[in-house]
Every structure is written in C-alpha cells, then in structure tokens.
Amino acid sequence: MTLKDRTISGVLWSVGQQFGSKLVSFFITIILARILKPEEFGLIAMLSVFISIGNSLLDSGLTSSLIRTTDANQKDFSTVFYFNLIGSTILYIILFFCAPLISSFYDQKILTSIIRVYSLIFILNALFGIQSTLLVKEMRFKTQTNIQIPSSFVGGILGVLLAQAGYGVWSLVWMSLFTTFLITIFHWKYSDWRPSWIFDKKSFNLHFHFGYKMALSGILDTLYQNIYTLIIGKFYSATQLGYYSRAESISQLPTSNISAAVNKVTYPMFAEISNDNEQLKRVNKKVMQQVIFWNAPILIFMCSTAQPLFRFLLTDKWLPAVPYFQILCVAGIMYPLHAYNLNILKVKGRSDLFLKLEIIKKIISVIGILSVIPFGIYGLLYFQLSFNLIGFYINSIYSGKLINYSVKEQIFDVLPTIILSAIIGISVYFLNYFLVTSFNINDLTRIIMSALFYGFTYLSLSNILNLTAITDFKQLILKK
C-alpha cells in the first residue's frame, strides 16, 4: 500500500475512532449533564490541569521520539515502557500526598478523596502506552477504533447508572477509571507487543534527549490550556467552572477530534517524508485546507444555533454557558493549524525550537491573562480568542521557514473557507431568529432546519466557487 493510500485509510479510520469514541462520550455526557449539577462537573474540571500535567510528565515526549525513530526496536520500547510505569507510580504517590493542598487551593474538601482515586488513571495509562504508540506508528487505526468505542460505551453506561443511583461527582470519577481500565485490557488483547526485561540506558538517553524538550513544551501548553480552569476555579464558583467546562468540551468536539484524528495520521506520515521539503509543504497545505474546510463550518454552525442547541441537549439549567460556548467556537477555528505547524518542527527534529516557541507564547499568554482578570470570565474568553491568532502566527513563522510555506500563504489558503463559513453562519443566525419569532418552532426543528440549510448552502457554494479543499476531497475520497 502506497503512502497516499495508507494516509487516506489512516485518516478515515482515525477520524472514525476519534469521532466514534468522542460521540459516545458526548452522548453519555449529555445524559449525565441532565442528571448531575453543573458544580459536579466543575469539581472534575478543577482536576484537569493536574491530570494533564501528570500525563505530560509521564510521557516525557518519549512516545513521540519512538514514532519518529524509523528503526526503533524491542529494546527501545521496553525501556520506555518501564520508565513510564515507574514514573506513573511515583506521580500517583506525589498526587496522593499533595491532594489536601490542591483541595485547600480550591477550598473544596471533597477534592482530596477524588484526587486520590482519580489519579490511579496514570498507572493505567502507562500500562498501554507502548501498545498505543505501536498502533499509531503502524497506522493501525481500525484496531484503535475497535478499542476506543466499546470502552467508552461500556464505561459511559456505568457512569449513567451510578449518576442515577445518586453517586454525584463520583459517577464521573468511576466512569473515567473504568473506561481507561477497559482500554488497557483491549490494548493488551489486540497488540502482540509484550515488554522484555530490558532497560537500556543508551536507548533511554537517545529518546529522552529528544523527548524532554517535547515534555517541557507539553507541560507549558497544558498549563496554558488549563490556566482558565485554574483561575475560574480559584476566583469564581464551581458552578461557573461547570458552565465553562461544558462550553469548552462541546466546542472542542469538532476541533480537537478532527485535529487529533488527522494529526495522529499526519505525524508518522510527515516523518516519512521529512527530508523532502517540497512534498512536505504540499501535503501539509492539503491537510490544513481539508481540516479547516470541515472544522470551520461545524464550529460556526454551532455558534449560530448555540441557544437552541444547549436548551435541547442540556436543558435550561445550562443556558448561562451559551455565551461562553459561542466565543470558544470562534476561538477554535484556527486551532488545528497550530498542530500541523508544530508537527513540522517535530519531524524536522527541532524540539529545541519547539520548546523555545512554547516558552515565548506562554510568557505572552500569562502576561495577557493576568491583565484581563479584572474584566472577569469574558475578559479571559476574549483574550483566549485573540491569543489563538497570535499563537498561530508565532508557530507558522518558524515552521514556514523550514518548508518555505509562509504565514501569508497559509492564511490565503484557508481564508476563502473561513469567509464562506462565516457568511452562511450569519444567515443561519437570522434564520433561527425568524423561525422562533414568526412560527414559534421548537428547538429540535430549528436545529434540523438550520443544519440542512447550512450544509446544503455550504457544499453547494463550495462546489460553485471550486474551493481547493472540496476538489481535493472528491479526488482523494470520492475518486472523482
């Protein structure tokens, strides 16, 4: 199978896996949101920064190094496996004893016991990390689909049953742990890889030299991604954090999943062609255009129909989250482009530059966030929107130089799609207003009618305007 065929197959299965498992989780979360209180989601959101930092520390960028190393062998995989397993155990012990301090920071006593149970997820993640890495390296995304979706479904059922039984926030804790436990079991079932009793210092140093910079970059990015949660959780109520976390979670459903699914395929693919700058630029351009072509209209549609969407899915008690959601949807449009620009740095082995850029962006970010705290949650959200553009500019300058793909070129390649999506989105907003004021149509009907109008108009105009992304899609997928 050629690189092109493997990439197309990989993208389809990766998108299927990413969206399949996330859609299952999404619908489970919708059910849970109808049962549980916003503050109970807020309590789990308070842990997100510590869990994410822990995952970055645990991986230390070593799995990225394994993927980009074409001749990685059993010695390399076993060494990283034992490092992750030992590291996860140490990390769990640290969080176990630090739990009261975190609880005191948020002034939420219940967090102590939640952290001590939830943090077991680190050890479970370490147990299947290498199997997962090998599946990505070999582009076996169909297997990952067969792992993720059943695990998410069964874990979600447990969460709903516990919520209905009155377990409150603990239903979210046990759901996450049980889902990860099932993922661990399935990875060991579907993967032939088993660790050998090897820990090679030379191999560890090789991967750690590349990986620790990636890990530091990941920690910085994690702190940035969760700094809003930290600030809202510290200075506002758990209920407001619950609104924010739901708004962020739903707004990221298309953004993070399209980006993560394609990124999972493109990183090993980019690694194969890393020495051919012309081909790397050409492939990167097509990937960026495709992702924006599907990501932008979905986000803008959700922004245009936010109020009926939240009321229908989550009930009236979640309507205060609607303005947060709309801002986050707009902020997410350019987010996937960050990942592909950073992938260029990674496959070129420039983890030093990767780290440097993360430091620069986070310094700017922290200064900006501290400046807007007096303006409340909306100040934080509007800064998040503006900084997404700043971050894209910084990332694309350096990656663009490596493959001769400038910021200006990148923007002009995706701008027609964004403009078209926005124009149709404004039309949908007024269509919604007309439907509810003139005919008093219910929320579900409004959403369906708006979706049909948006989808038909967007695809029709894309064909008429002959956008590059729709042409490439028909050639690659539909063979037209």
Side-chain angles (χ1 to χ4, degrees), residues 52-68:
S52 299
I53 289 174
N55 284 329
S56 295
L57 282 170
L58 176 61
D59 177 66
S60 298
L62 301 186
T63 55
S64 292
S65 181
L66 288 174
I67 292 173
R68 69 180 293 272

Side-chain angles (χ1 to χ4, degrees), residues 172-416:
L172 299 173
V173 174
W174 291 115
M175 178 182 72
S176 295
L177 279 173
F178 188 62
T179 300
T180 307
F181 172 75
L182 290 176
I183 290 172
T184 304
I185 296 298
F186 285 135
H187 269 94
W188 280 76
K189 176 183 177 182
Y190 287 110
S191 174
D192 295 329
W193 184 84
R194 297 293 182 268
S196 301
W197 291 104
I198 302 171
F199 188 92
D200 186 80
K201 185 177 179 180
K202 183 179 178 181
S203 176
F204 173 75
N205 289 337
L206 172 67
H207 296 294
F208 187 76
H209 179 72
F210 172 86
Y212 84 90
K213 299 165 192 171
M214 300 297 301
L216 290 175
S217 301
I219 292 168
L220 287 172
D221 189 58
T222 297
L223 283 170
Y224 169 71
Q225 294 295 337
N226 289 277
I227 195 169
Y228 298 95
T229 300
L230 272 173
I231 292 172
I232 295 170
K234 175 64 178 176
F235 295 104
Y236 303 96
S237 67
T239 300
Q240 285 178 296
L241 181 55
Y243 290 142
Y244 174 81
S245 67
R246 280 306 89 212
E248 184 184 42
S249 175
I250 297 175
S251 71
Q252 286 188 352
L253 185 65
T255 304
S256 62
N257 288 296
I258 291 175
S259 180
V262 178
N263 189 43
K264 194 180 293 183
V265 180
T266 55
Y267 182 51
M269 179 189 66
F270 283 0
E272 288 193 33
I273 58 175
S274 60
N275 294 321
D276 187 342
N277 287 342
E278 186 177 340
Q279 186 179 7
L280 195 55
K281 174 185 176 179
R282 185 170 60 252
V283 173
N284 188 43
K285 175 180 176 178
K286 289 182 180 296
V287 168
M288 290 172 64
Q289 288 178 321
Q290 282 298 318
V291 170
I292 290 294
F293 181 78
W294 301 106
N295 186 58
I298 294 173
L299 284 172
I300 292 175
F301 169 77
M302 293 197 305
C303 179
S304 302
T305 57
Q307 189 176 76
L309 192 65
F310 265 63
R311 187 163 45 227
F312 173 71
L313 293 176
L314 304 175
T315 71
D316 287 344
K317 68 181 178 182
W318 289 93
L319 285 180
V322 166
Y324 305 169
F325 174 73
Q326 291 174 314
I327 298 170
L328 290 169
C329 281
V330 177
I333 292 174
M334 296 293 285
Y335 179 78
L337 303 189
H338 291 246
Y340 308 121
N341 276 294
L342 293 176
N343 267 350
I344 300 299
L345 301 180
K346 289 194 286 186
V347 299
K348 289 291 187 179
R350 294 301 306 273
S351 57
D352 58 329
L353 185 54
F354 191 108
L355 176 58
K356 177 183 176 181
L357 294 183
E358 291 303 304
I359 292 173
I360 292 171
K361 288 186 296 182
K362 274 39 179 184
I363 290 173
I364 296 172
S365 174
V366 170
I367 293 172
I369 288 171
L370 293 176
S371 301
V372 300
I373 286 178
F375 299 98
I377 293 178
Y378 285 104
L380 293 170
L381 288 169
Y382 282 115
F383 175 76
Q384 187 172 352
L385 171 59
S386 62
F387 188 75
N388 261 350
L389 297 175
I390 296 170
F392 163 72
Y393 179 75
I394 293 172
N395 288 341
S396 56
I397 284 178
Y398 291 93
S399 62
K401 287 181 179 178
L402 292 176
I403 59 172
N404 194 30
Y405 192 20
S406 68
V407 180
K408 184 178 179 180
E409 279 187 271
Q410 293 186 40
I411 292 174
F412 275 106
D413 283 337
V414 300
L415 196 58

